Amino acid sequence: MDAIVANPSSATAAAHVMPGSGFKVSARDCNVYYGEKHALKSVSVDIPDRSVMAFIGPSGCGKSTFLRCINRMNDTIPICRVTGKITIDGQDVYDQSLDVVQLRARVGMVFQKPNPFPKSIYDNVAYGPRIHGFAQSRAELDQIVMTSLEKAGLLKEVKDRLTDSGTSLSGGQQQRLCIARAIAVSPEVILMDEPCSALDPIATARIEELIDELRSNYSIIIVTHSMQQAARVSQRTAFFHLGTLVEEGETGHIFTNPNDKRTQDYITGRIG
Amino acid sequence: MNEHIVTSYEEELALLDKKIAHMGGLAEHNLGQAFDALERRDPRQAELVVKSDKAIDQFERDIEALVISMIARRQPMANDLRHVMVALRIAADLERIGDLAKNIAKRALAIAHESHPKPLMTGLGHMVELALKQLKAVLDAYSERDAEKALAVWRDDAQIDAMYNSLFRELLTYMMEDPRNIGISTHLLFGAKNVERVGDHTTNIAETVHYLVRGTNVADDRPKSDQTSTTLISHD
Ligand SMILES: Nc1ncnc2c1ncn2[C@@H]1O[C@H](COP(=O)(O)OP(=O)(O)O)[C@@H](O)[C@H]1O
Ligand SMILES: [Mg+2]
C-alpha cells in the first residue's frame, strides 16, 4: 500500500487536475500476458477522480485488457498473468488481503452489449445492494433502487413498470439499467467498455449525457471506438497501440495537437 | 504524413489547398495590376481589377462551403482539423487583400486625370513590390508547410511598416509645400495605407501557417511599427 510517487510524465497530467481532486486510479509498469502473448506492455497512467478518461486505439491494442486489470476481472482468465502495480486511492488492488468482491463493488463495470439479468427491472438494480447487504429494510432497498434509476436517467421511463423484465426494455434503456445496477452499490470508479457500440444515435446521446452527469461523483473510464465520442465525453484521453500506452493527455489537446505521430495517424484516419 | 485511408477525404484536403493557391494567386495578381493601373493612370485596367475581385469573393465562399461540408461529413481531427480551420482563416485574409487591391484600383479611377509626383509614386511602388514578395512567400510557406518561411514573412512585415512611415512623412511634406498637392497626396496616402494593410493580412496568414505546421502560436510579439498615428508635424 505504498503511496505512488509521481514520475515525470505524470507531473504534466497533474497540472490539469483541479487542486485537491487528486488521482483516483494509478497504474505503474502494468504488464499483462495471456500465456506467451504479451498483451499489455508497461502501462503507467494516473486517472483523476470525478472526471472521464477515454481509452482509444485500434482493436486488439489492449484497452479492454487494461480495463479488466483495474477491477481484477483478468483473475477469472486462467492463462492471464498481470504484473506491476495498480492502486485505487493509494490502495494496492492486487494486495493479497484485499477482498475481490469488495473491490468489484468499488469498481463498477458496464459492457458493450447491455446485459440485464432475466429478472425484473427492480431486481436488476436491487441485485448488488442485496448481495452486499447494503439495505437494512425493504424501504431502504426501495430508496436505493429509486435513486439509482434516477441517477441513471431511467426512473421516469420505468417507474410504473418496475416489475417488468429488464430484457423488455429497449437497448438504450437496458444499457441505462446496467448503469443503474452499477451505481446501486455506490462504486467509486465506473469502467465502461464500448457502452454505446450497440446503441442508436439518440440512445447514445442519452448515455453520453448521463456520463457527463455522473462524472461529478465518479471516476469514469470509457473505452470507445468513436473518436467523436471520446472528444465529447472525456476530459482526458489515452491512446493505446500494440499493447503500449502511446500518449495520454487533456482531450482537447489530444484531438487538436497530439504529440505522437502514431496518435495523429490514428485519430485522423491515416494508414499507420 | 501518411495518406488517409479514405481516398476521397485526402482528395478534398488537396482540393482545399488548390483553391487557396488559386485564390492567393488571384489576390497577388490583382494587387499588382491595381498599382499598375494607378501608376499608368489606366482606368480600363482599374475596372478589370474591380471586376475580377468578384472571383476572389467567390473563392472565399467556395472554400467556406467546402470546409463546412468537410466538418459536417468527416469530422476532421488534429492536423486535419487545423488544416480546414486554417484554410478558412487564410481565405478570409485573402478576401480582404482582394478588397484592398480593389480600393487601390478605385483610386486609380479617381486620380486618372491628375498629375503624379514621380518620386512618391516610386516610393509606393517599392511598398507594393515588397507586399507582393511577402504575399508570394507566405503562399509558398502554406503549400510547403514551411513554418520557418512563414516566420520570416512575419518578421519582414516591419519593413513594409517602415516604408509606410517614411512615405507618410514624405507625403505630408509634399502637401505642406503646396496645398494643390493635397488632393493627389491624400489618394496616395490612402493607397499606401491599403498596401500597409495588405502587409498586415499577409502577416496574419504567416501566423496561421505557423500554427498549422507547429500547432502553437507565434510566441514573441512582433514590434508594432506603424507610428503614423502618433506622428506630429512641427510648424516652424
Ligand atoms: N482471454 C484472452 N485470451 C487470450 N488472448 C486475449 C484474451 N483477451 C484478449 N486477448 C488478446 O490480447 C490483446 C488485447 O486485447 P483487448 O484488450 O481485448 O484489446 P482491445 O480491447 O483494445 O480491442 C489482443 O491481441 C487479444 O487477442
Ligand atoms: Mg475491447
PDB file of all heavy atoms in Angstrom, chain A residues 3 8 19 21 45 58 91 93 98 111 113-114 150 158 164 176 203 216 229 232 252 257:
ATOM      1  N   ALA A   3       2.401   4.695  -1.137  1.00  0.00           N
ATOM      2  CA  ALA A   3       1.869   5.791  -1.930  1.00  0.00           C
ATOM      3  C   ALA A   3       2.630   5.826  -3.249  1.00  0.00           C
ATOM      4  O   ALA A   3       3.808   5.534  -3.304  1.00  0.00           O
ATOM      5  CB  ALA A   3       2.056   7.107  -1.191  1.00  0.00           C
ATOM      6  N   PRO A   8       7.994  11.692 -13.767  1.00  0.00           N
ATOM      7  CA  PRO A   8       7.975  12.954 -14.520  1.00  0.00           C
ATOM      8  C   PRO A   8       6.809  13.044 -15.505  1.00  0.00           C
ATOM      9  O   PRO A   8       6.243  14.106 -15.671  1.00  0.00           O
ATOM     10  CB  PRO A   8       9.310  12.926 -15.273  1.00  0.00           C
ATOM     11  CG  PRO A   8      10.180  12.006 -14.510  1.00  0.00           C
ATOM     12  CD  PRO A   8       9.277  10.988 -13.892  1.00  0.00           C
ATOM     13  N   PRO A  19      -7.005  21.382  -8.016  1.00  0.00           N
ATOM     14  CA  PRO A  19      -6.322  21.160  -6.741  1.00  0.00           C
ATOM     15  C   PRO A  19      -7.228  20.397  -5.774  1.00  0.00           C
ATOM     16  O   PRO A  19      -8.419  20.666  -5.692  1.00  0.00           O
ATOM     17  CB  PRO A  19      -6.049  22.579  -6.233  1.00  0.00           C
ATOM     18  CG  PRO A  19      -6.437  23.511  -7.305  1.00  0.00           C
ATOM     19  CD  PRO A  19      -7.111  22.768  -8.387  1.00  0.00           C
ATOM     20  N   SER A  21      -8.362  17.445  -5.992  1.00  0.00           N
ATOM     21  CA  SER A  21      -9.178  16.361  -6.521  1.00  0.00           C
ATOM     22  C   SER A  21      -8.367  15.091  -6.770  1.00  0.00           C
ATOM     23  O   SER A  21      -8.935  14.025  -6.898  1.00  0.00           O
ATOM     24  CB  SER A  21      -9.887  16.802  -7.806  1.00  0.00           C
ATOM     25  OG  SER A  21      -8.954  16.972  -8.836  1.00  0.00           O
ATOM     26  N   VAL A  45      -0.153   5.067 -15.813  1.00  0.00           N
ATOM     27  CA  VAL A  45      -1.058   6.195 -16.059  1.00  0.00           C
ATOM     28  C   VAL A  45      -1.759   6.581 -14.766  1.00  0.00           C
ATOM     29  O   VAL A  45      -1.940   5.745 -13.877  1.00  0.00           O
ATOM     30  CB  VAL A  45      -2.094   5.834 -17.168  1.00  0.00           C
ATOM     31  CG1 VAL A  45      -2.998   4.695 -16.743  1.00  0.00           C
ATOM     32  CG2 VAL A  45      -2.927   7.039 -17.597  1.00  0.00           C
ATOM     33  N   PRO A  58      -6.711   1.139 -31.839  1.00  0.00           N
ATOM     34  CA  PRO A  58      -7.245   0.098 -32.727  1.00  0.00           C
ATOM     35  C   PRO A  58      -7.626  -1.174 -31.970  1.00  0.00           C
ATOM     36  O   PRO A  58      -7.122  -1.414 -30.876  1.00  0.00           O
ATOM     37  CB  PRO A  58      -6.102  -0.182 -33.703  1.00  0.00           C
ATOM     38  CG  PRO A  58      -4.932   0.599 -33.260  1.00  0.00           C
ATOM     39  CD  PRO A  58      -5.340   1.534 -32.189  1.00  0.00           C
ATOM     40  N   GLN A  91      -4.456   2.465  -2.547  1.00  0.00           N
ATOM     41  CA  GLN A  91      -4.546   1.096  -2.046  1.00  0.00           C
ATOM     42  C   GLN A  91      -4.285   0.103  -3.178  1.00  0.00           C
ATOM     43  O   GLN A  91      -4.909   0.182  -4.236  1.00  0.00           O
ATOM     44  CB  GLN A  91      -5.948   0.855  -1.475  1.00  0.00           C
ATOM     45  CG  GLN A  91      -6.067  -0.485  -0.784  1.00  0.00           C
ATOM     46  CD  GLN A  91      -7.473  -0.720  -0.246  1.00  0.00           C
ATOM     47  OE1 GLN A  91      -8.414   0.010  -0.586  1.00  0.00           O
ATOM     48  NE2 GLN A  91      -7.602  -1.737   0.578  1.00  0.00           N
ATOM     49  N   VAL A  93      -4.522  -2.718  -5.529  1.00  0.00           N
ATOM     50  CA  VAL A  93      -5.634  -3.552  -5.975  1.00  0.00           C
ATOM     51  C   VAL A  93      -5.276  -5.039  -5.916  1.00  0.00           C
ATOM     52  O   VAL A  93      -6.129  -5.895  -5.717  1.00  0.00           O
ATOM     53  CB  VAL A  93      -6.037  -3.116  -7.417  1.00  0.00           C
ATOM     54  CG1 VAL A  93      -6.938  -4.137  -8.076  1.00  0.00           C
ATOM     55  CG2 VAL A  93      -6.691  -1.744  -7.394  1.00  0.00           C
ATOM     56  N   LEU A  98      -6.754  -8.081   0.013  1.00  0.00           N
ATOM     57  CA  LEU A  98      -7.907  -7.333  -0.489  1.00  0.00           C
ATOM     58  C   LEU A  98      -9.038  -8.277  -0.911  1.00  0.00           C
ATOM     59  O   LEU A  98      -8.812  -9.283  -1.563  1.00  0.00           O
ATOM     60  CB  LEU A  98      -7.456  -6.480  -1.689  1.00  0.00           C
ATOM     61  CG  LEU A  98      -8.515  -5.534  -2.240  1.00  0.00           C
ATOM     62  CD1 LEU A  98      -8.122  -4.095  -1.962  1.00  0.00           C
ATOM     63  CD2 LEU A  98      -8.689  -5.739  -3.726  1.00  0.00           C
ATOM     64  N   PHE A 111     -20.742  -3.052 -19.845  1.00  0.00           N
ATOM     65  CA  PHE A 111     -20.165  -3.718 -21.012  1.00  0.00           C
ATOM     66  C   PHE A 111     -20.737  -3.223 -22.323  1.00  0.00           C
ATOM     67  O   PHE A 111     -21.720  -2.478 -22.362  1.00  0.00           O
ATOM     68  CB  PHE A 111     -20.367  -5.233 -20.890  1.00  0.00           C
ATOM     69  CG  PHE A 111     -19.678  -5.806 -19.683  1.00  0.00           C
ATOM     70  CD1 PHE A 111     -20.322  -5.849 -18.441  1.00  0.00           C
ATOM     71  CD2 PHE A 111     -18.368  -6.281 -19.773  1.00  0.00           C
ATOM     72  CE1 PHE A 111     -19.688  -6.352 -17.330  1.00  0.00           C
ATOM     73  CE2 PHE A 111     -17.731  -6.793 -18.654  1.00  0.00           C
ATOM     74  CZ  PHE A 111     -18.386  -6.834 -17.427  1.00  0.00           C
ATOM     75  N   LYS A 113     -22.338  -4.894 -24.757  1.00  0.00           N
ATOM     76  CA  LYS A 113     -23.697  -5.314 -25.015  1.00  0.00           C
ATOM     77  C   LYS A 113     -24.459  -5.205 -23.708  1.00  0.00           C
ATOM     78  O   LYS A 113     -24.019  -5.738 -22.689  1.00  0.00           O
ATOM     79  CB  LYS A 113     -23.688  -6.772 -25.496  1.00  0.00           C
ATOM     80  CG  LYS A 113     -24.733  -7.073 -26.559  1.00  0.00           C
ATOM     81  CD  LYS A 113     -24.492  -8.457 -27.140  1.00  0.00           C
ATOM     82  CE  LYS A 113     -25.774  -9.093 -27.626  1.00  0.00           C
ATOM     83  NZ  LYS A 113     -26.711  -9.478 -26.571  1.00  0.00           N
ATOM     84  N   PRO A 114     -25.606  -4.481 -23.686  1.00  0.00           N
ATOM     85  CA  PRO A 114     -26.358  -4.394 -22.439  1.00  0.00           C
ATOM     86  C   PRO A 114     -26.693  -5.815 -21.952  1.00  0.00           C
ATOM     87  O   PRO A 114     -27.156  -6.633 -22.739  1.00  0.00           O
ATOM     88  CB  PRO A 114     -27.633  -3.644 -22.828  1.00  0.00           C
ATOM     89  CG  PRO A 114     -27.385  -3.062 -24.170  1.00  0.00           C
ATOM     90  CD  PRO A 114     -26.282  -3.826 -24.814  1.00  0.00           C
ATOM     91  N   GLU A 150     -32.927   6.901 -10.903  1.00  0.00           N
ATOM     92  CA  GLU A 150     -32.989   8.341 -11.124  1.00  0.00           C
ATOM     93  C   GLU A 150     -31.649   8.844 -11.667  1.00  0.00           C
ATOM     94  O   GLU A 150     -31.579   9.547 -12.677  1.00  0.00           O
ATOM     95  CB  GLU A 150     -33.338   9.038  -9.796  1.00  0.00           C
ATOM     96  CG  GLU A 150     -33.174  10.542  -9.772  1.00  0.00           C
ATOM     97  CD  GLU A 150     -34.247  11.249 -10.594  1.00  0.00           C
ATOM     98  OE1 GLU A 150     -35.380  10.742 -10.617  1.00  0.00           O
ATOM     99  OE2 GLU A 150     -33.930  12.296 -11.220  1.00  0.00           O
ATOM    100  N   VAL A 158     -39.450   4.126 -16.331  1.00  0.00           N
ATOM    101  CA  VAL A 158     -39.779   2.780 -15.849  1.00  0.00           C
ATOM    102  C   VAL A 158     -40.530   2.737 -14.518  1.00  0.00           C
ATOM    103  O   VAL A 158     -40.860   1.659 -14.023  1.00  0.00           O
ATOM    104  CB  VAL A 158     -38.499   1.894 -15.715  1.00  0.00           C
ATOM    105  CG1 VAL A 158     -37.786   1.796 -17.050  1.00  0.00           C
ATOM    106  CG2 VAL A 158     -37.569   2.428 -14.628  1.00  0.00           C
ATOM    107  N   ASP A 164     -41.677  -5.319 -14.589  1.00  0.00           N
ATOM    108  CA  ASP A 164     -41.419  -5.873 -15.931  1.00  0.00           C
ATOM    109  C   ASP A 164     -39.990  -6.399 -15.997  1.00  0.00           C
ATOM    110  O   ASP A 164     -39.116  -5.941 -15.261  1.00  0.00           O
ATOM    111  CB  ASP A 164     -41.584  -4.797 -17.013  1.00  0.00           C
ATOM    112  CG  ASP A 164     -43.040  -4.438 -17.245  1.00  0.00           C
ATOM    113  OD1 ASP A 164     -43.887  -4.900 -16.449  1.00  0.00           O
ATOM    114  OD2 ASP A 164     -43.322  -3.668 -18.181  1.00  0.00           O
ATOM    115  N   ARG A 176     -28.865   1.798 -19.778  1.00  0.00           N
ATOM    116  CA  ARG A 176     -29.012   2.681 -18.612  1.00  0.00           C
ATOM    117  C   ARG A 176     -29.389   1.872 -17.370  1.00  0.00           C
ATOM    118  O   ARG A 176     -28.996   2.216 -16.263  1.00  0.00           O
ATOM    119  CB  ARG A 176     -30.016   3.797 -18.904  1.00  0.00           C
ATOM    120  CG  ARG A 176     -29.379   4.942 -19.702  1.00  0.00           C
ATOM    121  CD  ARG A 176     -30.335   6.055 -20.010  1.00  0.00           C
ATOM    122  NE  ARG A 176     -31.233   5.703 -21.106  1.00  0.00           N
ATOM    123  CZ  ARG A 176     -32.490   6.112 -21.203  1.00  0.00           C
ATOM    124  NH1 ARG A 176     -33.008   6.898 -20.277  1.00  0.00           N
ATOM    125  NH2 ARG A 176     -33.228   5.736 -22.221  1.00  0.00           N
ATOM    126  N   ALA A 203     -30.076   7.014 -28.376  1.00  0.00           N
ATOM    127  CA  ALA A 203     -29.753   6.294 -27.140  1.00  0.00           C
ATOM    128  C   ALA A 203     -28.312   6.587 -26.732  1.00  0.00           C
ATOM    129  O   ALA A 203     -28.002   6.733 -25.544  1.00  0.00           O
ATOM    130  CB  ALA A 203     -29.964   4.794 -27.337  1.00  0.00           C
ATOM    131  N   SER A 216     -19.497  14.052 -12.003  1.00  0.00           N
ATOM    132  CA  SER A 216     -19.295  14.875 -10.807  1.00  0.00           C
ATOM    133  C   SER A 216     -19.189  14.030  -9.542  1.00  0.00           C
ATOM    134  O   SER A 216     -18.817  14.518  -8.495  1.00  0.00           O
ATOM    135  CB  SER A 216     -20.406  15.919 -10.684  1.00  0.00           C
ATOM    136  OG  SER A 216     -21.657  15.284 -10.782  1.00  0.00           O
ATOM    137  N   GLN A 229     -16.958  10.458 -29.881  1.00  0.00           N
ATOM    138  CA  GLN A 229     -17.476  10.214 -28.534  1.00  0.00           C
ATOM    139  C   GLN A 229     -16.414  10.517 -27.484  1.00  0.00           C
ATOM    140  O   GLN A 229     -16.691  11.167 -26.479  1.00  0.00           O
ATOM    141  CB  GLN A 229     -17.942   8.766 -28.404  1.00  0.00           C
ATOM    142  CG  GLN A 229     -18.465   8.463 -27.020  1.00  0.00           C
ATOM    143  CD  GLN A 229     -19.236   7.155 -26.986  1.00  0.00           C
ATOM    144  OE1 GLN A 229     -18.656   6.082 -27.110  1.00  0.00           O
ATOM    145  NE2 GLN A 229     -20.528   7.256 -26.802  1.00  0.00           N
ATOM    146  N   ARG A 232     -16.194  14.119 -27.108  1.00  0.00           N
ATOM    147  CA  ARG A 232     -17.363  14.732 -26.474  1.00  0.00           C
ATOM    148  C   ARG A 232     -17.419  14.493 -24.978  1.00  0.00           C
ATOM    149  O   ARG A 232     -17.736  15.389 -24.210  1.00  0.00           O
ATOM    150  CB  ARG A 232     -18.663  14.189 -27.095  1.00  0.00           C
ATOM    151  CG  ARG A 232     -18.987  14.729 -28.470  1.00  0.00           C
ATOM    152  CD  ARG A 232     -20.405  14.326 -28.875  1.00  0.00           C
ATOM    153  NE  ARG A 232     -20.601  12.899 -28.951  1.00  0.00           N
ATOM    154  CZ  ARG A 232     -20.562  12.172 -30.073  1.00  0.00           C
ATOM    155  NH1 ARG A 232     -20.337  12.761 -31.221  1.00  0.00           N
ATOM    156  NH2 ARG A 232     -20.750  10.877 -30.049  1.00  0.00           N
ATOM    157  N   GLY A 252      -8.836  17.873 -25.258  1.00  0.00           N
ATOM    158  CA  GLY A 252      -8.761  18.930 -26.267  1.00  0.00           C
ATOM    159  C   GLY A 252      -7.418  18.928 -26.968  1.00  0.00           C
ATOM    160  O   GLY A 252      -7.329  19.123 -28.179  1.00  0.00           O
ATOM    161  N   ASN A 257      -3.905  18.583 -31.271  1.00  0.00           N
ATOM    162  CA  ASN A 257      -2.464  18.674 -31.475  1.00  0.00           C
ATOM    163  C   ASN A 257      -1.717  17.596 -30.705  1.00  0.00           C
ATOM    164  O   ASN A 257      -0.932  17.889 -29.811  1.00  0.00           O
ATOM    165  CB  ASN A 257      -2.024  20.075 -31.012  1.00  0.00           C
ATOM    166  CG  ASN A 257      -0.670  20.439 -31.529  1.00  0.00           C
ATOM    167  OD1 ASN A 257      -0.123  19.774 -32.414  1.00  0.00           O
ATOM    168  ND2 ASN A 257      -0.099  21.486 -30.965  1.00  0.00           N
TER     169      ASN A 257
END
